[in-house]
Amino acid sequence: MNNRLIESRSDKAFDIVNGFLLVLITVIVLYPLIYVVSASFSDPMKVLNGEIILLPKGINLDAYKKVFADNEIISGYWNTILYTLVGTAVNVILSIITAYPLSRKDLRGGNIFMGLFTFTMFFSGGLVPTYLIIRDLGLIDNFWVMVLPGAISIYNVIIMRTYFQSSIPFELQESAMLDGCSNWRILWSIILPLSMPIIAVMVLFYGVGHWNSYFDALIYLRDQAKYPLQLVLRKILVQNQMQQLMNSASESIAQQQVLAEGIKYATIVVASVPVLIIYPFLQRYFVKGVMIGAIKG
Amino acid sequence: MGSSNKLDRGIGKNSTMRYAIRNYDLYIMLIPAILYFLIFHYLPMYGVQLAFKDFVATKGIWGSPWVGFKHFERFFNGYNFGRLMANTLGISLYSLAVGFPIPIILAIMMNELRNGVIKNTVQTITYAPHFLSTVVVAGMIISFLSPSNGIVNKLIVALGGQPIYFMIEPAWFKTIYVLSDVWQHMGWNSIIYMAALAGIDPELHEAAIVDGASRMKRIWHIDLPGIMPTVVILLILNVGSIMNVGFEKVFLLQNNLNMPASDVISTYVYRMGILGAQYSFSTAVGLFNSVINFILLIIVNTISRRVNDVSLW
């Protein structure tokens, strides 16, 4: 009896310590995000002086006005939206028609294809041969270079295949086959209507991937007019190049340097907000995707 | 029963042919994927032969003359071979030592939270940074750590210290890289362990409670063994990619002054190959990298299969 009491007291202490540490971790994760948002809305002078601790001070929207007036950022935004829409559509369609046959346990030779595809997860030709082949294909500076080289993620195909196998009874497909249904028909009228949750997951995974990627653009795009948002951001945030944003003669160099700080934070917000706003609503789908991926093991 | 026999049983070439003819449309569905993997993955793999050739622009990958191991020798004897290996392995091992256990601990801690609202809030917030782009995270790091007006140095100065030049001081590079990665991905990487923890039979916990086991004891004797297979699989994957330090963030955080600590194989390949157009040499460096990774993966997987009965294939 006495023993039980001591145990439960130690459990209570565990709860308190655990809760405290988790709140601390959450605050540490959250703080930089809040700081960026606050700094972007504040008077840049106050940001430079280190006056911003948590909330914005001296509300000032000049940085946002500059950002939204900048041609490069606007064009980067449009390009990214275009790459994301077309790229995600191609990704999802190809993943579905690849995952479906591979999910069929009656498919002859399925293991060969599966092995051929998954091998690419563990070994690759490397950057330079890939680059040379894409160049030989004439894809440099081509719109499709932002879509085709990453058209199918084998990891996502495996997630989808697992979903088709585990969530849709095979008997349902068998009876349709006996009725003489073609496989396209089965995919379209039986599999797809039952697969909306996993398709949502795929749209999100691929979509966020396109939105955030810069590597392919860095390597395969020369024409700045085709740059996606992330490459424009790289110039502003990492390379500190914002001449275009600063072209008006009315500001002194000192003023421009002050404003530059605000512009950095504003561009971070503008670039990240679409994903961060959508994400909490779709969190359970994302989590589901990771979990299905884990089952495969 | 009879119906499934009709569909997927049957031995011999004849029935395979009949199956393939009846289900030709399944193979048609696979055609785009086959083409995709052939063109964008297997063709470059075939193209690694460039590592053993001297690339001549007019002759292309396939027509250039063979030169054997010349490029590998040049790489191994190069002045920066040691530095590249040390940085690549250093960043990887540091990441593995710090970044691998933290999501496991975080998942166990979150799993012990009883209040559903707090649990959800903690999850939503810790997952969020995963959705920021690498460029944005690199930009945040550079701004926060700026010696003149970054918030970190403001704090150091306020506490009576001297500003630290984080981004140009090679000694800081690996720590910045690893800790920012932990910040960005620990929540997301814990999801997979949360899933494994949710799969543990609650009866085990109930029985342990009856026996008077404390929370710590149950974590140690039930939760940890329960998620071990997941931990091992992820460890195999991590060790198997130990030479693949993510190009994207290193490249963005790299500058001329921190180069002694930040130059890794992938950024070197990019610089030599894409910027410097030394195609054969950089292909050889890349191939060396891939081969080491692949060998590591096989070794770890084999050990794990022998010892734990857990393996990737």
Side-chain angles (χ1 to χ4, degrees):
Chain A
M1 193 62 207
N2 201 6
N3 197 18
R4 282 277 295 269
L5 267 175
I6 293 165
E7 291 286 291
S8 76
R9 205 172 296 151
S10 85
D11 280 358
K12 207 159 270 164
F14 177 94
D15 270 339
I16 291 168
V17 173
N18 187 40
F20 174 76
L21 288 176
L22 278 173
V23 170
L24 191 70
I25 292 171
T26 310
V27 169
I28 292 171
V29 171
L30 191 58
Y31 181 71
L33 302 177
I34 293 181
Y35 181 86
V36 167
V37 176
S38 294
S40 74
F41 284 107
S42 298
D43 176 354
M45 204 56 217
K46 291 190 167 23
V47 179
L48 281 178
N49 289 337
E51 286 179 47
I52 310 302
I53 306 297
L54 187 65
L55 295 174
K57 279 185 186 154
I59 298 289
N60 181 321
L61 296 177
D62 288 355
Y64 283 98
K65 282 180 198 147
K66 285 272 184 195
V67 167
F68 285 115
D70 182 60
N71 286 334
E72 261 189 295
I73 293 179
I74 299 295
S75 119
Y77 228 92
W78 276 118
N79 287 336
T80 291
I81 290 173
L82 200 60
Y83 297 144
T84 303
L85 288 179
V86 177
T88 308
V90 169
N91 289 146
V92 172
I93 292 168
L94 289 185
S95 297
I96 291 172
I97 62 171
T98 307
Y100 176 61
L102 294 173
S103 78
R104 285 272 297 264
K105 51 188 174 184
D106 60 313
L107 181 78
R108 303 280 168 97
N111 283 335
I112 298 173
F113 295 117
M114 202 62 206
L116 201 71
F117 299 165
T118 40
F119 181 69
T120 62
M121 276 172 100
F122 304 115
F123 195 83
S124 82
L127 176 65
V128 174
T130 312
Y131 168 79
L132 290 176
I133 279 158
I134 283 172
R135 198 183 67 174
D136 288 351
L137 290 170
L139 285 173
I140 299 291
D141 264 340
N142 187 313
F143 173 85
W144 291 99
V145 85
M146 299 303 291
V147 175
L148 294 179
I152 301 176
S153 146
I154 185 62
Y155 178 76
N156 287 344
V157 167
I158 293 173
I159 291 178
M160 266 201 137
R161 170 178 176 257
T162 310
Y163 183 91
F164 291 157
Q165 283 172 338
S166 59
S167 308
I168 301 170
F170 191 61
E171 291 72 33
L172 215 59
Q173 301 179 48
E174 279 187 331
S175 52
M177 283 175 227
L178 288 178
D179 291 344
C181 237
S182 78
N183 289 308
W184 285 107
R185 192 65 205 286
I186 294 173
L187 176 59
W188 183 254
S189 351
I190 297 179
I191 305 290
L192 284 190
L194 292 173
S195 302
M196 283 311 153
I198 198 68
I199 291 173
V201 171
M202 289 297 119
V203 170
L204 297 169
F205 276 7
Y206 282 123
V208 172
H210 282 290
W211 189 270
N212 282 341
S213 75
Y214 82 88
F215 185 72
D216 282 354
L218 174 76
I219 302 212
Y220 302 126
L221 295 183
R222 305 272 180 278
D223 181 0
Q224 306 222 353
K226 292 183 174 132
Y227 273 10
L229 183 60
Q230 299 298 333
L231 272 192
V232 180
L233 285 181
R234 172 174 168 250
K235 270 168 82 175
I236 296 170
L237 296 175
V238 179
Q239 300 177 309
N240 251 319
Q241 297 173 355
M242 39 183 117
Q243 298 92 337
Q244 276 208 309
L245 280 155
M246 298 296 178
N247 50 10
S248 71
S250 59
E251 290 144 350
S252 70
I253 289 172
Q255 273 177 318
Q256 292 189 355
Q257 276 175 345
V258 171
L259 196 51
E261 198 62 16
I263 287 174
K264 283 188 188 176
Y265 291 114
T267 47
I268 290 180
V269 173
V270 169
S272 308
V273 145
V275 179
L276 285 187
I277 281 190
I278 298 171
Y279 141 76
F281 298 100
L282 304 169
Q283 186 186 341
R284 59 196 178 97
Y285 291 108
F286 274 117
V287 170
K288 193 174 195 166
V290 176
M291 291 190 175
I292 295 170
I295 297 169
K296 184 250 157 191
Chain B
M1 194 62 211
S3 65
S4 88
N5 278 349
K6 192 175 151 199
L7 287 165
D8 53 40
R9 286 273 168 74
I11 314 145
K13 269 188 196 148
N14 211 355
S15 75
T16 302
M17 271 317 280
R18 229 180 303 137
Y19 173 88
I21 290 166
R22 191 174 43 215
N23 289 294
Y24 74 98
D25 43 0
L26 286 180
Y27 296 97
I28 288 180
M29 291 182 200
L30 285 173
I31 288 176
I34 293 169
L35 287 176
Y36 167 75
F37 283 102
L38 281 181
I39 295 172
F40 292 104
H41 292 270
Y42 283 94
L43 204 54
M45 268 188 233
Y46 188 54
V48 297
Q49 59 178 269
L50 199 54
F52 307 95
K53 290 180 162 181
D54 258 341
F55 185 77
V56 180
T58 48
K59 293 180 178 165
I61 299 179
W62 325 113
S64 295
W66 295 91
V67 294
F69 285 88
K70 179 177 130 187
H71 302 295
F72 292 90
E73 279 164 25
R74 183 184 145 204
F75 175 53
F76 296 143
N77 297 324
Y79 73 98
N80 51 9
F81 174 72
R83 179 173 101 173
L84 288 169
M85 289 299 286
N87 286 337
T88 306
L89 290 174
I91 292 176
S92 278
L93 293 173
Y94 194 171
S95 291
L96 197 63
V98 177
F100 188 75
I102 286 179
I104 302 175
I105 297 167
L106 185 64
I108 289 174
M109 287 172 72
M110 291 202 289
N111 193 47
E112 292 294 324
L113 268 186
R114 286 166 188 184
N115 185 320
V117 178
I118 297 181
K119 194 171 174 174
N120 268 332
T121 314
V122 171
Q123 285 176 309
T124 305
I125 292 173
T126 52
Y127 299 169
H130 177 80
F131 294 95
L132 297 175
S133 73
T134 318
V135 177
V136 161
V137 172
M140 284 170 69
I141 293 171
I142 293 168
S143 287
F144 286 167
L145 297 180
S146 150
S148 50
N149 43 39
I151 182 164
V152 176
N153 273 313
K154 292 270 189 227
L155 186 71
I156 292 173
V157 172
L159 294 174
Q162 288 292 318
I164 299 172
Y165 287 72
F166 287 103
M167 294 314 297
I168 59 175
E169 195 71 65
W172 280 101
F173 186 84
K174 294 185 176 71
T175 302
I176 292 167
Y177 179 91
V178 170
L179 292 187
S180 60
D181 243 29
V182 167
W183 174 77
Q184 195 184 1
H185 300 297
M186 67 176 166
W188 186 256
N189 290 342
S190 71
I191 295 176
I192 200 161
Y193 301 111
M194 291 292 280
L197 284 166
I200 292 173
D201 186 355
E203 280 182 24
L204 287 174
H205 279 287
E206 281 158 25
I209 292 168
V210 172
D211 289 343
S214 70
R215 299 278 285 278
M216 284 308 276
K217 278 196 176 137
R218 280 188 279 132
I219 289 173
W220 192 255
H221 295 287
I222 299 174
D223 287 344
L224 272 182
I227 61 173
M228 236 350 130
T230 312
V231 173
V232 172
I233 288 284
L234 288 175
L235 191 62
I236 297 175
L237 285 172
N238 271 293
V239 173
S241 57
I242 219 154
M243 297 274 288
N244 278 352
V245 173
F247 170 89
E248 300 209 353
K249 203 166 85 179
V250 175
F251 177 68
L252 292 171
L253 295 178
Q254 206 167 55
N255 56 51
N256 287 333
L257 293 163
N258 66 23
M259 213 59 161
S262 66
D263 201 13
V264 295
I265 292 181
S266 56
T267 54
Y268 184 63
V269 170
Y270 170 76
R271 227 173 35 249
M272 291 292 137
I274 308 296
L275 301 181
Q278 299 191 33
Y279 298 129
S280 293
F281 176 68
S282 50
T283 303
V285 178
L287 178 61
F288 164 75
N289 196 2
S290 308
V291 168
I292 302 261
N293 259 332
F294 197 62
I295 293 172
L296 277 174
L297 187 72
I298 290 171
I299 293 174
V300 184
N301 194 52
T302 312
I303 295 173
S304 165
R305 187 166 42 201
R306 296 252 169 87
V307 179
N308 298 310
D309 230 15
V310 181
S311 75
L312 283 175
W313 56 80

